[in-house]
């Protein structure tokens, strides 16, 4: 579609119908959505995982992704972190009057492709058009539903002394990609977001190691804040080694220039996995065999001392507490 979005597109009348039929239905089409009732009829049984998130990232297009793909990946990953298989998504759009319809379609196409690749169906949705200036281009809310595949399910409350702390790859890629695009910065090596759906990799790990204690994707607040959340939930200490934490050289260089710590930057395609020590090597082998976990490594262990804290050993052998992020380091990152 071409032209600009008008308030009429959110009126519920003919313009709304055309927008839904020619854009959203065209790219999200499936047999459940096609029924077009007020609610989607889903036939699901067993324990369920549900998660919702709202995406306001600025800019809406960035190296490695866009707000449409991000809105799928983010919610698919949140559902997956409970040891679940994501099945369905709903989506709600808040659109600013005057938005380029070509940009909107580019986002919708990307969102539909991301959902198909993740094996989830978009089964319900809503659009609202607000006056110019009442929103910034496009905001998307997605809610995901999936079936929990293991019992007990992974939880931030299940980290136990003696567990190994694993990570699937490098830290900070998404956060620095957004910041550099927003500020018009360029580095010697391009920085690309790691934005990706992790559900298939999580499934492989759970097949090999059903007793995964914790799964968590370190999005806003990054690795440091997420580990603090887990330490607090479980009442344990998370001990990690700085030299073992992978950071892409381009991200490390960019952070050094900008005075940022990559351990606090957002990631959208990585996860923390905490497992019993005896299962650590099996989990790492599965991760490394998948493209999304090729950089997987062990970064530390869970201990009983320093409950609720994250203790990091530096390359010089010293130790320091790694606190939770205070405030928002980079707003509108996801």
């Amino acid at each position: 579609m071409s032209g600009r979005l008008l308030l009429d597109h959110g009126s519920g009348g003919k313009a709304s119908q055309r927008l839904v039929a020619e854009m959203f239905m065209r790219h999200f089409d499936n047999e459940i959505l096609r029924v077009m009732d007020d609610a989607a009829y889903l036939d699901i049984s067993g324990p369920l995982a549900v998660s919702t998130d709202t995406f306001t990232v600025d800019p809406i297009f960035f190296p490695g992704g866009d707000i449409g793909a991000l809105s799928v990946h983010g919610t698919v990953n949140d559902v997956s972190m409970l040891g679940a298989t994501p099945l369905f998504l709903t989506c709600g759009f808040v659109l600013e009057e005057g938005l380029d319809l070509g940009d909107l379609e580019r986002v919708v196409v990307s969102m539909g492709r991301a959902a198909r690749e993740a094996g989830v169906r978009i089964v319900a949705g809503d659009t609202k058009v607000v006056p110019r200036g009442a929103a910034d281009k496009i905001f998307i809310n997605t809610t995901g539903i999936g079936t929990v595949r293991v019992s007990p399910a992974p939880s931030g409350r299940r980290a136990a002394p003696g567990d190994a702390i694993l990570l699937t790859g490098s830290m900070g890629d998404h956060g620095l990609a957004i910041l550099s695009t927003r500020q018009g910065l360029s580095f010697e090596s391009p920085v690309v977001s790691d934005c990706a759906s992790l559900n298939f990799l999580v499934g492989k790990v759970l097949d090999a190691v059903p007793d995964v204690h914790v799964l968590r994707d370190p999005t806003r607040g990054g690795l440091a804040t997420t580990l603090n959340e887990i330490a607090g939930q479980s009442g344990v200490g998370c001990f990690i080694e700085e030299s073992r934490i992978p950071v892409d050289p381009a991200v490390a260089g960019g952070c050094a220039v900008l005075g940022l710590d990559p351990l606090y930057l957002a990631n959208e395609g990585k996860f923390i996995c905490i497992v019993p020590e005896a299962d650590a090597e099996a989990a790492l082998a599965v991760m490394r065999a998948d493209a999304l976990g090729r950089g997987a490594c062990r970064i530390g262990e869970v201990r009983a001392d320093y409950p609720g804290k994250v203790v990091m050993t530096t390359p010089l052998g010293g130790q320091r507490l790694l606190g939770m992020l205070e405030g928002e380091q980079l707003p509108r990152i996801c």
Side-chain angles (χ1 to χ4, degrees):
M1 297 180 72
S2 59
R4 296 279 172 181
L5 194 75
L6 306 173
L7 287 175
D8 288 348
H9 285 112
S11 67
K14 289 184 177 178
S16 294
Q17 295 294 323
R18 281 197 300 273
L19 183 69
V20 170
E22 297 174 14
M23 189 175 295
F24 296 106
M25 289 299 297
R26 180 180 168 202
H27 298 295
F28 296 165
D29 183 51
N30 60 67
E31 70 280 8
I32 299 173
L33 186 63
R34 210 175 299 143
V35 175
M36 294 290 284
D37 282 332
D38 283 351
Y41 181 92
L42 306 178
D43 185 4
I44 312 174
S45 61
L48 302 178
V50 178
S51 183
T52 192
D53 203 347
T54 302
F55 298 85
T56 65
V57 64
D58 175 36
I60 60 173
F61 302 106
F62 50 84
D66 56 76
I67 191 171
L70 181 64
S71 69
V72 172
H73 297 320
T75 296
V76 163
N77 292 344
D78 285 345
V79 171
S80 301
M81 294 304 120
L82 202 69
T85 301
L87 298 173
F88 304 108
L89 289 178
T90 70
C91 56
F93 292 83
V94 177
L95 307 171
E96 184 188 18
E97 177 192 18
L99 175 66
D100 187 296
L101 284 170
D103 284 347
L104 176 58
E105 183 154 26
R106 187 176 161 195
V107 167
V108 173
V109 168
S110 177
M111 195 171 175
R113 180 170 56 243
R116 287 190 296 276
E117 290 175 353
V120 299
R121 285 178 286 181
I122 297 172
V123 295
D126 180 52
T127 60
K128 293 290 188 294
V129 181
V130 298
R132 194 184 301 267
D136 186 6
K137 296 183 278 297
I138 177 170
F139 298 157
I140 304 175
N141 172 271
T142 48
T143 296
I145 303 171
T147 51
V148 179
R149 48 188 298 159
V150 292
S151 180
S155 167
R157 295 183 175 186
R158 292 190 59 210
D163 284 354
I165 304 174
L166 314 178
L167 194 60
T168 57
S170 60
M171 293 289 95
D173 302 36
H174 177 73
L176 197 65
I178 296 295
L179 178 64
S180 59
T181 305
R182 189 183 298 171
Q183 301 298 330
L185 302 174
S186 60
F187 304 105
E188 189 171 337
S189 299
V191 177
V192 178
S193 170
D194 58 350
C195 187
S197 287
L198 298 164
N199 51 323
F200 295 126
L201 176 55
V202 167
K204 293 175 185 175
V205 172
L206 290 173
D207 286 343
V209 182
D211 190 27
V212 171
H213 287 178
V214 183
L215 291 171
R216 191 68 67 84
D217 54 341
T219 53
R220 282 186 303 177
L223 176 68
T225 299
T226 307
L227 285 176
N228 270 279
E229 292 171 353
I230 295 169
Q233 283 180 270
S234 293
V236 297
C238 289
F239 286 72
I240 58 175
E241 294 187 33
E242 186 174 8
S243 61
R244 292 189 175 188
I245 301 170
V247 178
D248 185 271
V251 173
C255 286
V257 170
L258 297 169
L260 298 171
D261 187 338
L263 303 190
Y264 289 93
L265 289 182
N267 312 274
E268 293 292 345
K270 308 286 171 30
F271 65 89
I272 299 165
C273 179
I274 298 181
V275 295
E277 173 63 38
D279 292 327
E281 288 305 316
L284 283 172
V286 171
M287 293 175 188
R288 289 168 179 161
D290 188 286
L292 294 177
R294 196 160 291 153
C297 58
R298 173 180 175 145
I299 63 169
E301 63 184 6
V302 178
R303 298 182 189 172
D305 45 346
Y306 289 93
K309 305 293 184 185
V310 178
V311 182
M312 185 169 73
T313 300
T314 68
L316 296 177
Q319 288 188 327
R320 70 181 177 95
L321 291 177
L322 208 58
M324 186 172 283
L325 180 66
E326 184 75 32
E328 187 75 89
Q329 186 173 225
L330 297 174
R332 297 190 60 189
I333 208 76
C334 58

